[in-house]
Amino acid sequence: MGADAVADPRDAVEANNYSRRWFDVFEATHPYTGNEVDFLVRWLPNPPYRRILDVCSGRGRHVVPLARLGYQAVGVDRDEEAIGYARRRALESGAERATFLRYDVRDLAAVPGVFDGVVVLWQSFGFLSPAENARLLSDIADKLTPAGRVVLDLYNPDWWHRHQGVGTTERGGRIVHSASVLDGTRLRVSLSYDGDDDTDEFEWQLFTVDQITRMADRVGLGTRLVCTEFHEAKPPTEDDRVVQVVLERRT
């Protein structure tokens, strides 16, 4: 298999089935949600950025607080359990403006409506083949109103070049073992958990800042900001694991 392709674009996305165990271990213990939502509010202020689409929204970690702040926030995810959990979370939190729809990223063009902002966070962009990832970014651009914005949260390939391999960490009271390999532009990660026989398998295409900005330019999106740690004053370096990119649709 070549570094920039997979046999079938659906093969890569099928590897990214986030298990209930992953949600319980990682999503439920994520410590930076507040900082991320604050960043979104700064770069998608309401008004004028009232209608927000969260692609691969999971259990509603960002949609629910945005809805509570007055946004018309819509989350889309292909995981039926995650959608159900997110809807319950919204009801329990009084987030009446939150909406959750079950869609695959490959069918984003079918999501009804247009939006003032689209967010794709926690390395939820890049599941597919290069051609399909480019198409997805084009579909995202088509979902935007004039001058609408996109916020991408991406793994930094420079960091992964130096940190691939095996490791062990503790998260949410569980010991998690990881194995990662970066083959060209494709990152593959396997996670296993003490006490469980099964593993979670993930695969992404990674992008340098230059690559994602050129890709965005081709679909009519200009780059407004590149940073790390959801902090405007922190430009990314090779020592930063993730990069945030804010794009804006040209009018």
Side-chain angles (χ1 to χ4, degrees):
M1 185 182 299
D4 295 324
V6 291
D8 185 314
R10 296 191 176 244
D11 291 342
V13 78
E14 290 305 325
N16 297 283
N17 287 312
Y18 288 77
S19 66
R20 306 292 79 74
R21 174 185 51 221
W22 183 92
F23 277 109
D24 292 339
V25 171
F26 287 96
E27 194 265 3
T29 62
H30 196 286
Y32 304 116
T33 300
N35 290 341
E36 294 166 3
V37 171
D38 289 345
F39 180 87
L40 296 178
V41 170
R42 292 195 299 273
W43 283 90
L44 301 170
N46 177 17
Y49 300 94
R50 184 180 304 277
R51 293 164 296 177
I52 305 299
L53 176 65
D54 185 350
V55 177
C56 298
S57 56
R59 290 180 170 179
R61 189 167 63 89
H62 299 101
V63 171
V64 169
L66 287 173
R68 293 187 65 188
L69 290 170
Y71 289 85
Q72 295 176 2
V74 177
V76 296
D77 202 286
R78 69 175 185 156
D79 189 309
E80 185 173 10
E81 188 279 338
I83 290 292
Y85 189 104
R87 288 171 176 161
R88 294 190 298 272
R89 188 182 214 168
L91 288 174
E92 293 168 0
S93 302
E96 294 85 1
R97 293 175 180 267
T99 302
F100 294 95
L101 305 173
R102 190 181 180 195
Y103 280 90
D104 191 288
V105 294
R106 293 162 295 198
D107 303 317
L108 192 68
V111 174
V114 293
F115 300 87
D116 306 309
V118 177
V119 302
V120 193
L121 304 178
W122 212 356
Q123 186 51 48
S124 294
F125 184 81
F127 289 143
L128 304 170
S129 71
E132 288 292 317
N133 288 329
R135 176 187 166 191
L136 175 57
L137 191 60
S138 179
D139 288 344
I140 289 172
D142 288 343
K143 280 292 163 190
L144 289 173
T145 56
R149 290 180 177 176
V150 181
V151 180
L152 298 177
D153 182 30
L154 305 170
Y155 278 152
N156 181 0
D158 290 337
W159 188 91
W160 282 99
H161 274 297
R162 297 183 295 116
H163 292 87
Q164 58 189 311
V166 297
T168 301
T169 188
E170 186 274 337
R171 186 74 177 258
R174 298 290 301 272
I175 300 299
V176 182
H177 305 278
S178 63
S180 59
V181 59
L182 184 59
D183 179 11
T185 65
R186 298 206 76 86
L187 174 67
R188 300 180 181 89
V189 176
S190 175
L191 300 179
S192 60
Y193 308 80
D194 275 2
D196 292 334
D197 294 330
D198 295 333
T199 60
D200 286 328
E201 304 287 342
F202 306 103
E203 179 178 325
W204 302 269
Q205 179 188 3
L206 301 192
F207 304 88
T208 66
V209 170
D210 285 345
Q211 287 168 340
I212 199 68
T213 54
R214 287 198 302 268
M215 187 172 161
D217 183 68
R218 287 193 289 270
V219 296
L221 298 171
T223 302
R224 290 294 305 272
L225 175 72
V226 177
C227 68
T228 190
E229 297 182 20
F230 290 89
H231 194 303
E232 294 87 337
K234 293 186 176 181
T237 72
E238 64 180 12
D239 296 321
D240 295 301
R241 188 168 180 260
V242 294
V243 175
Q244 292 81 50
V245 181
V246 179
L247 308 169
E248 186 172 281
R249 183 174 181 179
R250 292 192 288 268
T251 57

